[in-house]
Amino acid sequence: MKYINANEILPVRLVEELQKYMQAGYIYIPAKTEQHKSWGELSGYRKELEDRNKKIISDYKLGISMENLADFYHLSVYAIRKIIYQK
């Protein structure tokens, strides 16, 4: 997240009003609910994990052991087990 100086984007009156509540600090302004992006949606990482997890499940169904999957994907056997039995 990039910080922006309020003086650069807000009207002077609004900055003065905000200064009544807080000065020289950071304020987080959340996105509107309808514009909110879920975790990993912008970066594509969520999709990468979904694809990886589908491959893990597929490989397990083909007979690859949880231990071998854990070694290959650099995950714990516990993590592999959670992925396989999540659905």
Side-chain angles (χ1 to χ4, degrees):
M1 179 181 344
K2 180 181 172 189
Y3 293 105
I4 300 170
N5 186 326
N7 289 321
E8 294 175 10
I9 62 168
L10 300 176
V12 174
R13 289 180 63 196
L14 182 53
V15 173
E16 289 171 354
E17 186 66 26
L18 288 169
Q19 287 171 331
K20 292 178 185 177
Y21 299 93
M22 175 184 246
Q23 292 187 28
Y26 299 109
I27 298 174
Y28 171 72
I29 302 172
K32 293 181 179 181
T33 304
E34 63 272 8
Q35 293 177 331
H36 178 75
K37 305 284 187 212
S38 60
W39 174 86
E41 190 175 347
L42 290 176
S43 67
Y45 191 60
R46 178 180 291 256
K47 176 79 170 108
E48 284 181 43
L49 289 180
E50 288 174 359
D51 292 345
R52 180 205 65 185
N53 292 351
K54 286 178 184 176
K55 179 74 171 124
I56 288 171
I57 293 167
S58 172
D59 289 346
Y60 178 73
K61 288 179 179 178
L62 291 173
I64 300 175
S65 71
M66 287 187 198
E67 291 79 10
N68 286 342
L69 290 169
D71 288 340
F72 182 80
Y73 289 99
H74 305 286
L75 297 170
S76 68
V77 173
Y78 176 76
I80 295 292
R81 188 176 295 121
K82 280 178 55 176
I83 291 166
I84 291 170
Y85 295 119
Q86 71 185 342
K87 296 182 179 188

